[in-house]
Amino acid sequence: MLGPEKIKELTTQVFALSKADQTEVLVTASERALTRFANSYIHQNVAETNAEVRVRVVYGKKIGVASTNDLSPEGLKRAADTARVIAMLQPDNPDFTSLPSPAPIQNVETYVERTANFSPDQRAHAVSVLCKKAKARGVVAAGAFTTASFEVAVANSLGVFAYHPGSLAEMNTVMMTDNGSGYAARAHADARQINAEAIADEAISKALKARNPTDLEAGEYTVLLEEYAVVDVLNFLDWLSFSAQAVQEDRSFMKGKLGEKVMSENVTIWDDGAAGDAIALPFDYEGVPRQRVTLIEKGIARGIVYDTATAAKDGVASTGHSLPAPNSDGPSAMHLFMAPGETKKSEMLKGVERGVWVTRFWYTRVVHPLQVLITGMTRDGTFLIENGEITRPVKNFRFTTSYLAALNHVRAISQETKLFHEDWSNASRSVPAILVDGFQFTGVTQF
Amino acid sequence: MKDFAARALNQAQMKGATYADIRIVTRTTQHIAVKNGIVEALEQNESQGFGVRVIANGAWGFAASARVDMREIERVVAQAVAIARASALTKTRDVNLGARIEAHGRFETPVARDPFLVPMQEKIGVLMKADAEMRRVPGIKVARGEMEFQREDKTFASSEGSFITQSIIESGCGIVAMASNLESGEIQVRSHPNSGGRNQVTRGYEFITECRMPENAQRIAEEAVALLSAAQCPSLDAATIILDGSQVALQVHESCGHPIELDRVLGTEAAFAGTSFLTPEKLGNFRYGSDVINITADATIPGGLGTFGFDDEGVAAQKTDIIKNGLFVGYMTSRESAQELKLGHSNGTMRADGWNRIPLIRMTNVSLLPGTWNADDLITSTDDGIWMETNRSWSIDDKRLNFQFGTEMAWEIKSGKKTRMLKNATYTGITPQFWGACDAVANENSWIVWGTPNCGKGQPPQVAHTGHGASPARFRGIRVGVIK
Ligand SMILES: [Zn+2]
C-alpha cells in the first residue's frame, strides 16, 4: 500500500512538473496474489506489486495522456513531458469543457486488512480444502483463489483529491467428472467470508448431478438462470445499453425510452459505487462522486450513466461513471445491482412444467446491439426441468437470444443474491437468480 | 541487466529453488483514436517490471514487481520461493521440465520505419483523412479510426544459463464506419482492414501506409449504409459458404489454435478458458478436416503478430505441423507439458503478457496454408452460395466444438456471381465437421497473415497477440442463420 500521504506527494510532484492549463493525476496501486489449481493440485501461484500514475494534461482544448509505473522523479517527469508533447501536437477537441471541480465524496470502508495480508499458506490451505473434497468424492478440481488490496486516487489541479483503498477476495471453481462439470464462485472484500467448503460442496454436487448428460433438442424454453448467468446479462446491459455514449450514438435500446416500460414489472436495476456491501469505489476515474443511479425501476427505464464528456453533450451533470482517460468506450455502470425478488431459489422451479436449468453462460458475444441479441453457450451444469423438478442433465446449448427480451419475460426472481467481481473490468455486480420464459436455444454441442 | 538477473537467480537458488528464471520487461504502447473528426484518445503508456518464476519443493511459485531495483529483488525472490513452498502443499508429483536448456541470443523485429519516430501529426493526419472520407457518406452516424504501436524490450535469464534479449515492435490500425436507422432498429458497421478495431503485425509504420485507410474509407462507409437496407441473410440448413481470409483466420484461431494448446488439453485451463476436444489419444490418427486442410504453428513468419525469436521459457522460435492433409498431428507445447505427453522438447509457444504474468501456451502464427485455387474461382465455380466477409461476432464452446460466427457483410452467390448484399449473416457448426466440409482453399496470391491482438486466457487474465495466415476458403453443407 502506498497510502494517501505518499500518493498526495506523487500527485503534487506531477502538478509541479506540469505547465498545462489543467492537470489530472490518476494513481492506481495494487498487491494481488492468485493461487490457481487444476487436476486437484496447485499448478500456478502468483503475486504482483504494481502502481501506475496516469497524467492527463489540458492545454486549452488539447488533451494528452501518458502513464508510467516508474514512480521515480525521472519517471514522473517523463510521463508529464510525454503527455504535454502529445497534447500540443493535436487539433482542438471542441467537445471538451473542463476537468471536473471538487465535490464531496462519501467515505466507504471496504478495506479489510486481513485480506490484504492473506499469505500464500492461507490461500494454499483454502485451496487444499477444495482439492481434498474433490478427491474424496471422485471429481477433479480446477479454479482460482485471488486475494488483493488496491488503492485508487484521483487528483486534479482544480482541487479534486479523492482516495479509496479496498480489498478483494474471490474464489471460483469448476469441478469435473469424465463427462460433466459444476461451477461455484464467491467474491467479498473480506477473505474470511470466502467459505471454501461451501464453494466445494456446491460445485461437487452439481458436477455429480451433471454426469452422463442426455440429448435435448434446441428450441424455446423457460429457463432458470442462476446468478452466474444473470451477471452476464447485466454485463452486456452495462456495455451496450446503460451508458450515455451508447445512447448518444444510437446503439442503445434506452434511447428515447426513459419513462417507458422496457422490462418486466418485477425488474429493478441500479448502479451504486458507494454501496458498502459490494466491491465499492465511491468516485470515478475523474474523481467525480458516483451517484446512485436507478436505471430500471419496476420495468420502467429511468436513467443512464454519464461521465463528464457525455454529460456536457446532454447538458446534464456527470453521474460519476467515467473510465480512465482517455477512453473510447464512454461511461460504465461498474457497480450494478439487480433487486432480489420474493421467491426462495429452491422454490423457483414450482410450476415450471418443462424448462432448462442454466448454471452459467460462456463465450457470449453480441449479434445485434440494439436488441441486446447475444449468442453464447451454457456451461458447467445444464439440466432439464420437468413438473417443477430437475429430472436429468442435458448437453450444453448454444443460445442466440435477446437479453432484453429475457428481462421482459421474468416470471420469478430469487430472494438470494450473489456478489461478483469481474477480473477484466474491475466491475462489481450483485444479482439474484431469475426464471425467464421464451429463451431461445439455437444449437447443441456434443457434451 | 545481467547483474540484476544474476542476483535474482542466485538468491532464488540460495533460498532453495531448484529452477529459477527472471524476465525483465519494459513495454511502451502508443494509442491514437479518432472519432467523428475529433482526436478522442492520444496516450502513451509505459510499464516496466520484473517477474521471477521458481520451482521449490517440486512446485511452482511466481512473484513480480514494478520496482526494478536491487533491494526489491530480495523481497520478490523470497516471495516467489515462499509461494512455491505453499504450492507444494497440494502437489501430486514434482514439476518436470525435461532436459536442461541453455540459450543465448538476441532478436529484434525488423522495421523499415520505427513507429515511435514517426511524427504524431502524420499519424493523426492519416486517421483524420480517413475519418472525413467516411463521414462524407450520408447516413454515417459514427466514424472511428485507431492506431496502436507497441515496443517490448525484454531480458530472459534462467538458472540453466540462458540469457536472451528481445525487442519486439508491433504496429496496428483500423477504421470503422457505423450507420444506424433507429426506426427500423438497424445498426450496421463495416471495418477495414479488419474488425475488432484493427489489424496488427510485428512490423514498422510501413504497415500502416500499406493498409491504405483513407483510400478504403469511402467504400466501407457506403457498404455500412447499404447494409441498412440490404436483405436479411436467409436461414438455411445446408448452404455453401465462402469465407474471406480474415474470417478464415479467426475460424482457425478459435477452432484450431485454442484446442491445440496442450495446457488446455491437460486440464490446466479448465476453470476459465476450458479444455479441448483434441484429447491425447487423437494425436496422429484423428481426421480434423478434409485433405485440403494444412495448418502450422510458425513463430518465424516475418511480420506475423505471433513472431518472436525465443519464447518466454527461452526456447527458440519454431515451425510445427498441426494438421497435415486433414490429419491432426501436433500440439503447441511448453517444457512441462511436452514432458507430460512424452513429446520430447517444447516447441516454444510459452508467452507471458508482460512482466507481471507467467508464460502460458499461446498461439504463435497458427495458419491455414494456401491451397491451389484462384480466389475469384471460388465464386465463379459456385452455383448457389453465400460469401461472408469480416467478422462481427464469434463464440465457441469450452471444448472448441460448437461455434457460431457472424460477419459484417455477406453476398448472395448465384451461378458464379455475387448478386445481392445480405445483412446479419451468421453460420454455425461443429469444428471437425466444418473443416471436413472444406473443398477449396485459395492460393498464396490472396494469403495474408492477419493479427489478433486480443486473445484472452488465464487467471489472472492475460491478453496475447497472435498471428493467422489465411486465404478465402469454401465450405459445403453449412448451417446458416439463426435470426428467423
Ligand atoms: Zn483466443
Side-chain angles (χ1 to χ4, degrees):
Chain A
M1 296 288 277
L2 295 174
E5 287 77 27
K6 169 75 183 164
I7 287 178
K8 189 125 212 182
E9 201 183 296
L10 287 171
T11 59
T12 309
Q13 279 185 64
V14 176
F15 291 145
L17 289 163
S18 170
K19 296 180 179 56
D21 299 339
Q22 298 184 348
T23 304
E24 175 188 88
V25 189
L26 165 64
V27 183
T28 50
S30 65
E31 307 224 5
R32 292 179 67 96
L34 183 146
T35 299
R36 198 174 189 214
F37 51 105
N39 297 315
S40 305
Y41 72 93
I42 295 169
H43 67 308
Q44 293 169 7
N45 205 346
V46 302
E48 164 193 0
T49 306
N50 197 8
E52 183 196 88
V53 169
R54 177 166 283 263
V55 182
R56 171 159 60 152
V57 297
V58 179
Y59 290 85
K61 285 179 177 292
K62 300 177 195 294
I63 300 142
V65 177
S67 76
T68 183
N69 66 352
D70 175 358
L71 306 190
S72 68
E74 304 77 50
L76 296 179
K77 181 165 189 321
R78 207 163 52 240
D81 287 349
T82 305
R84 175 178 53 81
V85 170
I86 282 176
M88 299 309 270
L89 285 171
Q90 64 175 290
D92 280 358
N93 178 343
D95 289 350
F96 181 81
T97 47
S98 170
L99 294 178
S101 303
I105 289 160
Q106 194 183 330
N107 189 38
V108 198
E109 293 285 343
T110 55
Y111 174 75
V112 181
E113 182 101 39
R114 61 174 166 265
T115 305
N117 294 334
F118 226 64
S119 72
D121 283 340
Q122 284 175 298
R123 275 189 305 281
H125 277 287
V127 166
S128 72
V129 169
L130 281 91
C131 294
K132 278 182 192 149
K133 283 203 168 227
K135 284 177 194 161
R137 300 184 66 186
V139 303
V140 173
F145 185 20
T146 301
T147 56
S149 60
F150 60 90
E151 296 165 283
V152 179
V154 187
N156 76 26
S157 54
L158 303 180
V160 165
F161 184 84
Y163 171 79
H164 176 78
S167 57
L168 167 72
E170 206 257 330
M171 180 183 270
N172 57 64
T173 186
V174 173
M175 295 284 182
M176 295 175 293
T177 66
D178 284 349
N179 57 18
S181 55
Y183 180 80
R186 299 286 187 277
H188 204 281
D190 183 352
R192 254 209 241 158
Q193 301 296 321
I194 301 295
N195 183 339
E197 303 245 352
I199 293 170
D201 291 343
E202 179 185 334
I204 290 171
S205 73
K206 188 163 276 173
L208 293 174
K209 267 195 279 184
R211 271 178 306 188
N212 305 320
T214 52
D215 290 309
L216 182 64
E217 66 287 0
E220 187 177 307
Y221 286 90
T222 294
V223 291
L224 187 134
L225 304 180
E226 282 204 81
E227 299 91 324
Y228 309 116
V230 177
V231 71
D232 194 66
V233 175
L234 289 205
N235 285 342
F236 277 99
L237 290 176
D238 167 19
W239 180 36
L240 297 177
S241 314
F242 289 156
S243 122
Q245 183 165 311
V247 174
Q248 289 168 355
E249 291 179 358
D250 290 357
R251 291 183 283 112
S252 165
F253 74 86
M254 296 285 275
K255 173 139 193 167
K257 290 284 163 50
L258 292 190
E260 289 180 28
K261 187 168 175 300
V262 292
M263 294 178 191
S264 296
E265 248 166 46
N266 50 4
V267 175
T268 294
I269 300 170
W270 69 94
D271 187 271
D272 188 0
D277 52 354
I279 310 298
L281 181 59
F283 51 86
D284 71 4
Y285 294 100
E286 297 180 310
V288 176
R290 288 179 191 271
Q291 308 295 315
R292 187 185 195 279
V293 177
T294 301
L295 301 152
I296 307 290
E297 185 184 19
K298 296 185 173 144
I300 296 167
R302 287 296 183 204
I304 52 177
V305 299
Y306 286 97
D307 56 13
T308 302
T310 51
K313 238 176 219 166
D314 278 9
V316 298
S318 168
T319 56
H321 289 85
S322 167
L323 292 174
N327 107 74
S328 304
D329 296 330
S332 168
M334 276 181 64
H335 302 81
L336 283 174
F337 290 75
M338 181 166 172
E342 320 267 279
T343 321
K344 273 197 188 137
K345 195 171 162 187
S346 57
E347 287 168 11
M348 287 176 80
L349 295 189
K350 278 188 183 159
V352 179
E353 228 170 86
R354 196 157 193 273
V356 175
W357 178 290
V358 175
T359 298
R360 111 190 242 225
F361 293 148
W362 169 246
Y363 220 119
T364 45
R365 292 290 184 276
V366 182
V367 178
H368 202 292
L370 259 183
Q371 303 159 13
V372 201
L373 184 68
I374 305 294
T375 189
M377 300 296 302
T378 65
R379 183 175 169 183
D380 299 327
T382 309
F383 304 93
L384 176 67
I385 304 163
E386 288 172 302
N387 300 318
E389 275 175 34
I390 286 181
T391 50
R392 56 181 166 98
V394 295
K395 288 180 185 163
N396 285 298
F397 288 107
R398 167 166 300 288
F399 64 88
T400 307
T401 205
S402 161
Y403 281 177
L404 177 60
L407 290 176
N408 235 315
H409 293 88
V410 179
R411 215 200 281 184
I413 300 180
S414 72
Q415 291 174 350
E416 302 92 336
T417 59
K418 281 199 173 80
L419 178 68
F420 295 92
H421 175 265
E422 301 290 316
D423 247 359
W424 292 90
S425 58
N426 271 324
S428 149
R429 317 285 190 214
S430 171
V431 298
I434 61 178
L435 185 68
V436 166
D437 290 322
F439 200 86
Q440 303 289 336
F441 291 122
T442 51
V444 189
T445 191
Q446 295 178 338
F447 58 93
Chain B
M1 280 313 167
K2 244 182 176 142
D3 292 350
F4 189 85
R7 174 90 174 254
L9 297 174
N10 256 329
Q11 297 231 344
Q13 283 164 306
M14 273 159 52
K15 290 191 159 67
T18 53
Y19 170 86
D21 63 39
I22 179 170
R23 285 177 303 110
I24 308 153
V25 182
T26 301
R27 180 191 283 178
T28 307
T29 56
Q30 193 178 80
H31 177 72
I32 310 165
V34 164
K35 183 174 91 180
N36 287 352
I38 290 168
V39 178
E40 186 183 52
L42 200 45
E43 64 178 313
Q44 186 155 318
N45 303 311
E46 173 192 287
S47 180
Q48 56 166 23
F50 68 100
V52 178
R53 195 173 71 137
V54 303
I55 299 173
N57 287 10
W60 283 116
F62 174 84
S65 173
R67 290 207 300 276
V68 186
D69 65 50
M70 286 291 189
R71 271 173 310 153
E72 185 74 344
I73 292 177
E74 197 154 338
R75 186 187 72 81
V76 170
V77 168
Q79 194 182 17
V81 173
I83 287 173
R85 292 192 195 285
S87 302
L89 182 71
T90 62
K91 80 174 172 187
T92 48
R93 58 172 187 274
D94 287 355
V95 175
N96 175 12
L97 291 181
R100 178 172 177 277
I101 293 178
E102 184 176 345
H104 295 265
R106 164 142 189 90
F107 175 85
E108 276 175 46
T109 304
V111 294
R113 276 186 92 187
D114 182 341
F116 287 91
L117 300 180
V118 173
M120 190 63 84
Q121 290 98 324
E122 182 177 341
K123 298 170 182 167
I124 293 172
V126 169
L127 289 171
M128 285 296 208
K129 183 139 189 266
D131 182 276
E133 291 292 327
M134 286 188 279
R135 283 184 303 123
R136 273 204 337 207
V137 175
I140 291 301
K141 173 81 182 175
V142 180
R144 282 179 186 278
E146 68 168 277
M147 289 186 197
E148 174 120 354
F149 305 102
Q150 178 171 305
R151 180 190 173 97
E152 191 165 80
D153 295 299
K154 52 186 184 179
T155 301
F156 172 88
S158 79
S159 58
E160 296 174 338
S162 290
F163 189 86
I164 293 160
T165 61
Q166 303 191 75
S167 295
I168 295 172
I169 291 177
E170 298 179 7
S171 300
C173 66
I175 51 174
V176 53
M178 187 195 107
S180 71
N181 183 336
L182 269 187
E183 276 97 81
S184 63
E186 199 56 80
I187 293 177
Q188 292 294 337
V189 295
R190 282 293 288 143
S191 309
H192 172 85
N194 203 356
S195 57
R198 60 188 191 268
N199 191 18
Q200 195 151 314
V201 294
T202 55
R203 294 178 58 198
Y205 192 79
E206 61 277 10
F207 172 72
I208 307 297
T209 311
E210 288 167 21
C211 283
R212 298 169 56 82
M213 291 193 290
E215 292 81 356
N216 283 280
Q218 185 184 338
R219 172 182 60 83
I220 64 164
E222 287 169 353
E223 286 170 352
V225 173
L227 278 164
L228 287 178
S229 49
Q232 168 69 40
C233 180
S235 292
L236 303 163
D237 285 336
T240 295
I241 65 170
I242 305 171
L243 304 179
D244 84 308
S246 67
Q247 178 59 33
V248 171
L250 189 66
Q251 180 80 45
V252 169
H253 177 102
E254 301 292 357
S255 68
C256 184
H258 280 300
I260 60 166
E261 294 165 350
L262 189 50
D263 52 357
R264 288 183 70 122
V265 175
L266 296 175
T268 58
E269 292 294 321
F272 179 62
T275 57
S276 170
F277 75 96
L278 287 173
T279 41
E281 80 285 354
K282 293 195 175 81
L283 186 63
N285 55 49
F286 178 73
R287 183 142 282 283
Y288 175 88
S290 67
D291 34 350
V292 298
I293 304 301
N294 287 285
I295 295 177
T296 58
D298 184 355
T300 69
I301 299 175
L305 191 57
T307 298
F308 48 80
F310 300 85
D311 80 352
D312 289 332
E313 289 192 308
V315 177
Q318 292 163 49
K319 175 178 175 177
T320 305
D321 282 328
I322 301 296
I323 310 293
K324 211 155 184 172
N325 301 325
L327 198 71
F328 167 51
V329 295
Y331 286 117
M332 294 187 298
T333 66
S334 62
R335 291 183 65 181
E336 188 181 3
S337 64
Q339 293 311 307
E340 198 159 336
L341 276 202
K342 303 194 168 49
L343 296 176
H345 60 83
S346 159
N347 57 28
T349 67
M350 287 285 271
R351 283 194 292 159
D353 181 7
W355 56 268
N356 53 352
R357 294 287 182 270
I358 54 168
L360 301 173
I361 294 176
R362 302 310 306 249
M363 284 171 234
T364 54
N365 301 296
V366 179
S367 305
L368 176 66
L369 300 185
T372 54
W373 288 65
N374 284 318
D376 289 345
D377 295 345
L378 288 180
I379 295 170
T380 55
S381 67
T382 300
D383 262 355
D384 187 1
I386 298 170
W387 163 272
M388 297 191 194
E389 181 172 344
T390 317
N391 182 262
R392 194 171 83 177
S393 67
W394 68 105
S395 171
I396 188 162
D397 71 39
D398 54 287
K399 291 189 200 294
R400 303 274 151 177
L401 277 169
N402 178 305
F403 62 82
Q404 178 171 308
F405 291 99
T407 61
E408 289 183 351
M409 183 168 72
W411 285 87
E412 181 183 70
I413 300 170
K414 294 280 183 204
S415 309
K417 288 201 175 69
K418 285 183 179 175
T419 46
R420 58 176 184 147
M421 187 186 266
L422 301 170
K423 69 178 179 184
N424 301 337
T426 62
Y427 66 97
T428 184
I430 296 286
T431 296
Q433 294 165 9
F434 182 78
W435 288 110
C438 182
D439 74 337
V441 178
N443 62 26
E444 60 283 352
N445 296 332
S446 53
W447 197 80
I448 290 170
V449 184
W450 299 89
T452 302
N454 57 351
C455 177
K457 185 175 179 180
Q459 297 170 298
Q462 301 197 32
V463 176
H465 295 186
T466 68
H468 306 284
S471 51
R474 185 171 64 193
F475 302 82
R476 301 288 194 177
I478 305 304
R479 189 175 155 206
V480 167
V482 281
I483 311 170
K484 291 262 156 72

Coordinates of all heavy atoms in Angstrom, one line a residue, chain A residues 363, chain B residues 250 253-254 257-258 261 264 362-363 394 400 452 454-457 464 466 468, ligand 1:
Chain A
Y363 N -18.7 -17.6 -23.3 CA -18.3 -17.1 -24.6 C -19.4 -16.3 -25.2 O -19.8 -16.7 -26.3 CB -17.7 -18.1 -25.5 CG -16.5 -17.7 -26.3 CD1 -15.3 -18.3 -26.2 CD2 -16.7 -16.6 -27.1 CE1 -14.2 -17.8 -26.9 CE2 -15.6 -16.1 -27.9 CZ -14.4 -16.7 -27.7 OH -13.3 -16.3 -28.4
Chain B
L250 N -9.9 -16.0 -38.2 CA -10.5 -16.1 -36.9 C -11.0 -17.5 -36.6 O -11.0 -18.0 -35.5 CB -11.6 -15.1 -36.7 CG -12.1 -15.0 -35.3 CD1 -11.0 -14.4 -34.4 CD2 -13.3 -14.1 -35.2
H253 N -8.2 -19.5 -35.6 CA -7.8 -19.1 -34.2 C -8.7 -19.8 -33.2 O -8.2 -20.5 -32.2 CB -8.0 -17.6 -34.0 CG -7.7 -17.1 -32.6 ND1 -6.5 -16.5 -32.3 CD2 -8.4 -17.1 -31.5 CE1 -6.6 -16.1 -31.0 NE2 -7.7 -16.5 -30.5
E254 N -10.0 -19.8 -33.4 CA -10.9 -20.3 -32.4 C -11.1 -21.8 -32.4 O -11.1 -22.4 -31.4 CB -12.3 -19.6 -32.6 CG -12.3 -18.1 -32.5 CD -12.0 -17.6 -31.1 OE1 -11.9 -18.4 -30.1 OE2 -12.0 -16.4 -30.9
G257 N -6.5 -23.1 -33.2 CA -5.5 -22.6 -32.4 C -5.7 -22.9 -30.9 O -4.8 -23.4 -30.2
H258 N -6.9 -22.7 -30.4 CA -7.1 -22.9 -29.0 C -7.1 -24.4 -28.6 O -6.5 -24.8 -27.6 CB -8.4 -22.2 -28.5 CG -8.2 -20.8 -28.2 ND1 -7.2 -20.4 -27.3 CD2 -8.7 -19.7 -28.7 CE1 -7.2 -19.0 -27.2 NE2 -8.1 -18.6 -28.1
E261 N -3.7 -26.1 -27.9 CA -2.9 -25.7 -26.7 C -2.8 -26.8 -25.7 O -3.9 -27.2 -25.1 CB -3.5 -24.5 -26.1 CG -3.6 -23.2 -27.0 CD -4.5 -22.1 -26.4 OE1 -5.3 -22.4 -25.5 OE2 -4.4 -21.0 -27.0
R264 N -4.5 -26.6 -22.2 CA -5.9 -26.8 -22.2 C -6.2 -28.3 -22.2 O -7.1 -28.8 -21.5 CB -6.6 -26.2 -23.4 CG -6.7 -24.7 -23.4 CD -7.4 -24.2 -24.6 NE -8.8 -24.5 -24.5 CZ -9.8 -23.7 -24.6 NH1 -9.6 -22.4 -24.7 NH2 -11.1 -24.0 -24.5
R362 N 0.6 -20.1 -25.8 CA -0.2 -19.2 -26.5 C 0.1 -19.4 -28.0 O 1.2 -19.8 -28.4 CB 0.2 -17.7 -26.2 CG 0.1 -17.3 -24.8 CD -1.3 -17.7 -24.2 NE -2.4 -17.1 -24.9 CZ -3.2 -16.2 -24.5 NH1 -3.0 -15.6 -23.3 NH2 -4.2 -15.8 -25.2
M363 N -0.9 -19.1 -28.8 CA -0.7 -19.3 -30.3 C 0.5 -18.4 -30.7 O 0.6 -17.3 -30.3 CB -1.9 -18.9 -31.0 CG -3.1 -19.9 -30.9 SD -4.6 -19.1 -31.6 CE -5.7 -19.4 -30.2
W394 N -18.4 -13.7 -32.6 CA -17.8 -15.0 -32.6 C -18.0 -15.7 -31.2 O -17.9 -15.0 -30.2 CB -16.3 -14.9 -32.9 CG -15.5 -14.2 -31.8 CD1 -14.6 -14.8 -30.9 CD2 -15.4 -12.8 -31.5 NE1 -14.1 -13.8 -30.1 CE2 -14.5 -12.6 -30.5 CE3 -16.1 -11.6 -32.1 CZ2 -14.3 -11.3 -29.9 CZ3 -15.8 -10.4 -31.6 CH2 -14.9 -10.2 -30.5
R400 N -14.2 -26.3 -27.7 CA -14.0 -25.8 -29.0 C -14.6 -26.6 -30.1 O -14.0 -26.9 -31.1 CB -12.4 -25.7 -29.2 CG -11.8 -24.8 -28.2 CD -11.9 -23.3 -28.6 NE -12.0 -22.4 -27.4 CZ -12.0 -21.1 -27.6 NH1 -11.9 -20.6 -28.7 NH2 -12.1 -20.3 -26.5
T452 N -4.3 -11.1 -34.5 CA -5.4 -11.0 -33.5 C -4.8 -10.4 -32.2 O -4.1 -11.2 -31.5 CB -6.0 -12.4 -33.2 OG1 -6.5 -12.9 -34.5 CG2 -7.1 -12.4 -32.2
N454 N -6.1 -9.6 -29.3 CA -7.0 -9.6 -28.2 C -7.4 -11.0 -27.7 O -8.5 -11.2 -27.4 CB -8.2 -8.8 -28.5 CG -8.9 -9.3 -29.7 OD1 -8.4 -10.2 -30.4 ND2 -10.1 -8.8 -30.0
C455 N -6.4 -11.9 -27.7 CA -6.7 -13.2 -27.3 C -6.6 -13.4 -25.8 O -5.5 -13.3 -25.2 CB -5.8 -14.2 -28.0 SG -6.1 -15.9 -27.5
G456 N -7.7 -13.7 -25.1 CA -7.7 -13.8 -23.6 C -7.5 -15.2 -23.1 O -8.0 -16.2 -23.7
K457 N -6.8 -15.3 -22.0 CA -6.6 -16.7 -21.4 C -6.0 -16.4 -20.0 O -5.3 -15.4 -19.8 CB -5.6 -17.5 -22.3 CG -5.4 -18.9 -21.9 CD -4.5 -19.6 -22.9 CE -4.2 -21.1 -22.4 NZ -3.4 -21.8 -23.4
A464 N -3.0 -12.0 -25.3 CA -1.9 -12.4 -26.2 C -2.2 -11.8 -27.6 O -3.3 -11.6 -28.0 CB -1.7 -13.9 -26.3
T466 N -1.6 -12.7 -31.4 CA -1.4 -13.9 -32.2 C -1.5 -13.6 -33.7 O -2.2 -12.7 -34.1 CB -2.3 -15.1 -31.8 OG1 -3.6 -14.7 -32.2 CG2 -2.3 -15.3 -30.3
H468 N -2.3 -15.2 -37.8 CA -3.0 -16.3 -38.5 C -3.0 -16.0 -40.0 O -3.7 -15.1 -40.5 CB -4.5 -16.3 -38.0 CG -4.5 -16.5 -36.5 ND1 -4.3 -17.6 -35.9 CD2 -4.8 -15.6 -35.6 CE1 -4.3 -17.5 -34.6 NE2 -4.6 -16.2 -34.4
Ligands
ZN1 ZN -8.2 -16.5 -28.5

